[in-house]
Amino acid sequence: MNIRIECTYRTAKGTEAFFRSEEMPAGKGMVIAEDLERTGRAKNLVFVDGYDSSWTMKEMKGYLKGVETEPHNVTVYFDGGYERETHRSGLGCAIYYEMNGKPYRLRQNATVAELLSNNEAEYAALYMAVQELEGLNVHHLPVRFIGDSKVVINQMGGEWPVIEKDLLRWADRIDEKLNSLGIQPEYELIPRKGNAEADRLATQAMNGTEISGTIELIPGN
């Protein structure tokens, strides 16, 4: 989670001024805030997250302690495939994260029959990935969402408007879920070959092979 520090600073002679820091990771913000408090001159110090919610020092310490035992440093790869002839879609996502000092990978795919286009399948894959994040209890964190769909990445990132009603429905569902989880999304477009794992999961779903599971990633393997 990224935060800003806000406080009132009072000099030895009693002159006061309000300060607001630049945005920074919560851990770095805690180090700076603790240093400010040691001066004895910082008053009413709070942390403000990306949703303009305020956190006290005690609340932020509790959050940072909890992060150690919850998924963090989360990166999501997603992809959707669509067969025009059968109207069958395959969805795939691979989620990389850290927890308790160890790296993990979750993989999930699914077959869907009622979608109408490849773009809709891409959106459905992203929504499936967000649902998996909810299952992992990922919340109040920045998360990187990586895909090869220019439409989804640019529309969800705010670069392009969402005009099609079918896609707007998916975009609204995704935004609503992300907001409820307090997730700060960062969207990144990559070439198709760079998204091979999620693409393979989507293809396997369309071929009838179900993949679902989480493993600890062992360095060197």
Side-chain angles (χ1 to χ4, degrees), residues 63-136:
Y63 165 78
L64 290 172
K65 184 177 181 179
V67 163
E68 296 175 4
T69 58
E70 295 180 354
H72 55 282
N73 292 337
V74 183
T75 299
V76 176
Y77 293 85
F78 70 95
D79 196 32
Y82 176 74
E83 288 183 346
R84 187 181 301 273
E85 296 78 9
T86 63
H87 297 290
R88 184 173 59 179
S89 300
L91 318 178
C93 71
I95 302 174
Y96 291 81
Y97 61 95
E98 296 177 17
M99 186 169 66
N100 294 319
K102 299 178 181 179
Y104 292 87
R105 181 194 65 196
L106 177 153
R107 295 193 301 166
Q108 182 68 47
N109 69 0
T111 304
V112 184
E114 67 271 15
L115 305 183
L116 301 176
S117 68
N118 189 74
N119 286 335
E120 193 176 4
E122 294 278 7
Y123 264 106
L126 176 55
Y127 184 70
M128 180 183 73
V130 174
Q131 288 181 306
E132 293 298 323
L133 293 179
E134 182 177 29
L136 284 172

